[in-house]
Amino acid sequence: MKRCVRCLAGALALVAGAAYPQAHQPPKVEVDAYQWESPENPFSGDAEAIAEGQRLYRSTCYICHADTGSRGPNLRKSKLKGQAFLKVVINGRKNTQMPAWKGKLTEAEMWKIYSFIEAPAPQ
């Protein structure tokens, strides 16, 4: 009986070990294949682009982010800057309610929204 218990324990250890990845295996890395039209914000400080960004923000982002955060975070306080911010807009965020806007907004429209967010908050 003891022998069967040892065999069973050894078999379970082998099966359990197979269920977990080895510590030395490198993590899977997602390749960022997005081809940027503008590596930096081409609309920074442009009053017309900021106004257009505000209009776009109101029609696409406001429902979740409001003026100072709601279901989604306050985007004016985001630590993500430039392309890092746009990558989230383009690809969305897994396991959250943040959708991907690629194909729905152009890169220029996303940069205009970013310009609005980066501009001083309207009083």
Side-chain angles (χ1 to χ4, degrees):
M1 180 70 174
K2 285 183 181 183
R3 188 174 189 179
C4 289
V5 172
R6 285 184 196 151
C7 290
L8 181 59
L12 287 175
L14 286 174
V15 171
Y20 297 100
Q22 297 296 319
H24 65 277
Q25 291 178 338
K28 292 181 181 178
V29 177
E30 291 183 28
V31 176
D32 182 15
Y34 185 79
Q35 297 297 313
W36 292 96
E37 294 170 23
S38 302
E40 293 183 11
N41 187 354
F43 304 107
S44 184
D46 180 332
E48 287 182 29
I50 292 169
E52 176 67 8
Q54 181 179 18
R55 185 192 68 74
L56 289 164
Y57 181 89
R58 296 279 180 217
S59 66
T60 57
C61 312
Y62 189 85
I63 192 167
C64 292
H65 296 280
D67 287 323
T68 57
S70 184
R71 269 191 305 176
N74 181 348
L75 296 180
R76 292 189 183 277
K77 293 184 178 182
S78 176
K79 293 179 183 176
L80 297 175
K81 302 296 176 199
Q83 284 186 349
F85 184 90
L86 259 62
K87 282 182 185 180
V88 173
V89 178
I90 291 166
N91 299 315
R93 277 219 180 181
K94 291 181 182 179
N95 302 319
T96 72
Q97 294 180 355
M98 177 65 192
W101 287 93
K102 182 178 181 181
K104 298 171 188 149
L105 292 172
T106 66
E107 182 179 316
E109 289 172 325
M110 292 180 216
W111 278 122
K112 289 176 182 178
I113 291 169
Y114 181 73
S115 295
F116 166 68
I117 291 167
E118 288 292 294
Q123 299 300 324

